[in-house]
């Protein structure tokens, strides 16, 4: 049995829904279908979720959401018209969204989640109606009734352990089950959404709960690529990678799958297959626990911008008990989360996402480190990019670091920081943002150019 998830672009129009239908009926194992809200039809188009957020924001500001509301309803109406579905389905969707916009606003975050979730909820109803109109047995599943219990954390809900037990019962239901992605219900019966792009998480939770043989995630690319296709033209496709490799790559910008979405599948050892709705024949990418290592040391290279480092040095730092703790607790006082802490004998750098900092915070942190920790030097460095070179094969290959640093030296990229060793499957380089593309290109040439596809 397979759990199959379709992203917003796969559900953006009637034409796309026809493809989804063909994909589902072509394989009887595809029993549970998780759907996103309708996404973009073209690059300048709006996602229904974004339109709904807009509607909710306007209501909270006591502004008229009329235009945005009409645009949302029109999106569903166009799809329904293309598929020649009866009028009632649209009146139901319209009434549902209108009622949500009238709901209690005393807690704005909860109100927002209630409105946002309607994108998927109504789309699941529409997809179920479409499948039935084609003569197959298909049912919309209400996540409340099915027991998808989540924490009451607006915009960032997590599934509760008991949800898995409840959802397991879906196995006994007949027909194709159409399940809305992106949200669940608290024990008190209120709607809470996962973080953005969270329908991937719903699919993974269901795959785990139902002990599926496979979690298929349909999107709009043929595969996960070895490197960002916006940096390298037509990069190599990855056929198979491990959960750990995917986790490391998605950390630094591989966004094909939501990074929280791997966890439930990983815990149950369920393989995840990334496929393309627009080209279902393409093999796609499979994410598994273990793979035969046939591709050399590196499977992918990811990079992400927007980091900064706080460099702290103090003579005899290594002998000072509690230095690291005190430094990190200063950051904690400012509500900052950190990413890495590469260190030497007398120095330590803390790498953070720089969007958490303001000039005021930076000055205050600088002052506290200097005065409370008596550091010799404190230096902030901005506009750094992190490059992750990832591959299980690194463990068995000698000289991968040497090859990587030589490749960077050849194109004159200065390595600001290296972090290697803590993870067995990745090496991380910090470089200046201006050098990022050149660095990625050089590493790609080194590890992939000569490897047959
Ligand atoms: N529709 C939601 C979003 O745009 C969730 C999803 O598509 O997975 O974030």
């Amino acid at each position: 049995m397979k759990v199959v998830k379709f992203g917003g672009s796969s559900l953006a129009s009637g034409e796309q829904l026809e493809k989804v239908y063909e994909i589902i009926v072509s394989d009887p194992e595809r029993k549970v279908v998780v759907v996103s809200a309708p996404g973009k039809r073209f690059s300048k188009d709006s996602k229904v979720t974004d339109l709904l957020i807009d509607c909710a924001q306007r209501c909270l500001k006591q502004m008229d959401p009329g235009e945005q509301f009409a645009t949302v309803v029109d999106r569903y109406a166009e799809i329904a018209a293309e598929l020649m579905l009866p009028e009632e389905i649209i009146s139901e969707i319209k009434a549902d969204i209108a009622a949500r916009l009238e709901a209690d606003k005393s807690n704005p975050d909860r109100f927002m989640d209630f409105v946002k979730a309607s994108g998927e909820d109504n789309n699941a109803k529409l997809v179920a109606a479409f499948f039935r109109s084609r003569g197959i047995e298909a049912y919309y599943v209400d996540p409340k009734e099915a027991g998808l219990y989540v924490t009451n954390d607006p915009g960032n809900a997590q599934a509760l352990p008991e949800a898995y037990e409840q959802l397991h019962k879906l196995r006994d239901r007949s027909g194709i089950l159409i399940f809305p992605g992106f949200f669940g219900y608290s024990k008190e019966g209120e709607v809470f959404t996962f973080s953005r792009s969270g329908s991937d998480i719903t699919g993974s939770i269901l795959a785990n709960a139902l002990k599926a043989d496979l979690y298929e995630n349909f999107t709009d690319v043929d595969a996960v690529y070895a490197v960002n296709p916006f940096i390298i033209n037509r990069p190599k496709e990855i056929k198979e990678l491990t959960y750990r490799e995917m986790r490391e790559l998605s950390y630094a910008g591989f966004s094909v799958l939501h990074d929280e979405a791997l966890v439930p599948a990983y815990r149950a050892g369920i393989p995840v297959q990334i496929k393309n709705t627009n080209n279902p024949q393409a093999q796609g990418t499979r994410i598994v626990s273990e793979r035969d290592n046939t591709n050399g040391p590196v499977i992918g290279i990811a990079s992400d911008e927007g980091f900064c480092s706080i460099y702290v040095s103090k003579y005899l730092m290594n002998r000072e008990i509690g230095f690291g703790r005190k430094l990190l607790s200063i950051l904690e006082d400012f509500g900052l989360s950190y990413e890495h802490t590469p260190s030497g004998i007398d120095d330590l750098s803390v790498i953070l996402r720089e969007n958490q900092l303001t000039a005021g915070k930076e000055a205050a942190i600088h002052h506290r480190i200097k005065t409370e920790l008596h550091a010799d030097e404190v230096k902030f460095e901005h506009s750094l990019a992190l490059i992750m070179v990832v591959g299980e094969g690194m463990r068995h290959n000698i000289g991968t670091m040497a090859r990587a640093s030589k490749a960077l030296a050849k194109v004159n990229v200065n390595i600001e920081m290296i972090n290697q060793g803590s993870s067995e499957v990745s090496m991380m380089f910090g470089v200046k943002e201006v050098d990022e593309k050149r660095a990625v290109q050089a590493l790609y040439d080194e590890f992939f150019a000569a490897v047959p596809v």
Side-chain angles (χ1 to χ4, degrees):
M1 193 272 280
K2 298 175 184 171
V3 170
V4 191
K5 182 256 167 182
F6 291 92
S9 62
S10 305
L11 300 156
S13 66
E15 190 189 341
Q16 291 299 83
L17 259 76
E18 300 271 9
K19 295 180 192 167
V20 167
Y21 173 77
E22 289 305 327
I23 289 169
I24 295 302
V25 294
S26 69
D27 182 349
E29 302 282 295
R30 292 179 172 141
K31 171 157 177 80
V32 178
V33 182
V34 177
V35 296
S36 284
K40 294 183 181 191
R41 292 157 294 184
F42 40 88
S43 69
K44 293 249 158 62
D45 200 14
S46 304
K47 287 174 152 200
V48 162
T49 307
D50 290 322
L51 294 166
L52 288 165
I53 292 173
D54 214 7
C55 281
Q57 271 163 352
R58 292 181 80 86
C59 291
L60 288 169
K61 289 188 208 143
Q62 265 127 35
M63 287 159 73
D64 177 20
E67 201 185 311
Q68 291 71 12
F69 171 65
T71 315
V72 173
V73 176
D74 277 353
R75 287 292 309 270
Y76 290 106
E78 265 181 49
I79 298 172
E82 255 185 273
L83 301 171
M84 292 188 298
L85 299 177
E87 283 289 314
E88 301 116 66
I89 181 90
I90 296 307
S91 3
E92 276 168 33
I93 291 177
K94 192 170 175 182
D96 175 76
I97 304 170
R100 289 183 197 237
L101 294 177
E102 289 299 316
D104 176 29
K105 299 174 187 57
S106 54
N107 185 323
D109 293 337
R110 291 183 181 202
F111 170 72
M112 175 59 83
D113 274 18
F114 188 43
V115 175
K116 256 196 299 187
S118 71
E120 307 0 63
D121 206 30
N122 284 315
N123 211 25
K125 290 178 185 165
L126 188 140
V127 172
F130 165 51
F131 280 17
R132 280 196 301 272
S133 77
R134 289 294 168 90
I136 63 169
E137 193 190 351
Y139 305 99
Y140 156 78
V141 180
D142 178 355
K144 188 177 196 173
E145 177 219 338
L148 177 39
Y149 297 124
V150 297
T151 56
N152 46 11
D153 200 356
N156 194 28
Q158 311 286 321
L160 291 171
E162 50 266 54
Y164 291 89
E165 239 171 81
Q166 293 299 322
L167 293 167
H168 186 73
K169 298 180 191 150
L170 290 175
R171 271 196 89 104
D172 303 329
R173 295 214 198 160
S174 66
I176 308 270
L177 307 181
I178 317 288
F179 202 104
F182 193 37
F183 70 95
Y185 284 83
S186 67
K187 278 299 186 65
E188 293 72 38
E190 272 192 81
V191 168
F192 287 92
T193 68
F194 299 126
S195 52
R196 288 301 304 268
S197 303
S199 301
D200 284 345
I201 304 175
T202 310
S204 188
I205 292 170
L206 285 168
N208 176 314
L210 278 86
K211 300 287 166 267
D213 300 302
L214 183 65
Y215 171 27
E216 287 181 311
N217 192 294
F218 278 82
T219 173
D220 50 13
V221 286
D222 274 355
V224 176
Y225 296 104
V227 68
N228 183 345
F230 292 108
I231 299 184
I232 307 283
N233 193 25
R234 296 172 50 82
K236 188 174 172 279
E237 290 178 3
I238 302 176
K239 301 271 181 273
E240 193 173 56
L241 77 171
T242 65
Y243 298 113
R244 295 208 301 173
E245 288 171 329
M246 187 65 194
R247 161 75 184 120
E248 303 259 358
L249 289 167
S250 53
Y251 168 74
F254 273 39
S255 57
V256 179
L257 194 70
H258 192 302
D259 51 7
E260 282 175 50
L262 274 182
V263 182
Y266 160 75
R267 291 214 175 111
I270 297 165
V272 182
Q273 184 83 33
I274 309 286
K275 301 262 299 171
N276 189 353
T277 303
N278 305 316
N279 184 16
Q281 263 64 48
Q283 184 187 340
T285 298
R286 187 176 277 249
I287 310 167
V288 291
S289 322
E290 274 174 50
R291 66 179 175 86
D292 289 338
N293 188 36
T294 49
N295 69 302
V298 177
I299 190 111
I301 301 166
S303 64
D304 200 9
E305 302 180 341
F307 294 91
C308 80
S309 83
I310 309 175
Y311 169 80
V312 183
S313 85
K314 185 176 179 187
Y315 192 60
L316 294 181
M317 184 192 284
N318 66 321
R319 298 222 202 127
E320 192 173 324
I321 293 169
F323 189 91
R325 179 185 51 76
K326 285 182 222 150
L327 174 64
L328 294 178
S329 75
I330 293 177
L331 300 183
E332 193 177 345
D333 289 346
F334 285 89
L336 302 173
S337 71
Y338 72 93
E339 308 289 319
H340 310 276
T341 52
S343 64
I345 310 166
D346 287 339
D347 20 41
L348 184 75
S349 292
V350 185
I351 314 291
L352 325 156
R353 295 223 177 237
E354 67 189 342
N355 59 4
Q356 305 179 92
L357 280 178
T358 57
K361 270 192 192 176
E362 186 172 319
I365 293 167
H366 191 282
H367 179 73
R368 283 191 59 184
I369 300 175
K370 268 283 203 195
T371 51
E372 291 173 28
L373 303 184
H374 309 291
D376 298 326
E377 192 183 350
V378 182
K379 209 168 60 190
F380 282 72
E381 190 157 353
H382 290 275
S383 305
L384 294 179
L386 294 186
I387 301 177
M388 307 283 295
V389 179
V390 177
E392 298 271 356
M394 260 179 219
R395 271 181 286 171
H396 318 291
N397 279 274
I398 294 170
T400 311
M401 173 59 87
R403 281 175 70 184
S405 36
K406 198 165 152 211
L408 295 175
K410 248 202 281 179
V411 293
N412 219 4
V413 169
N414 186 35
I415 303 171
E416 306 286 325
M417 181 198 64
I418 293 183
N419 202 351
Q420 202 229 345
S422 333
S423 160
E424 285 183 308
V425 301
S426 77
M427 283 177 325
M428 191 187 77
F429 296 97
V431 302
K432 293 234 160 55
E433 278 176 4
V434 286
D435 291 336
E436 179 191 354
K437 291 206 170 71
R438 209 154 29 94
V440 170
Q441 174 83 58
L443 291 166
Y444 184 78
D445 290 347
E446 172 64 33
F447 291 107
F448 292 95
V451 181
V453 180

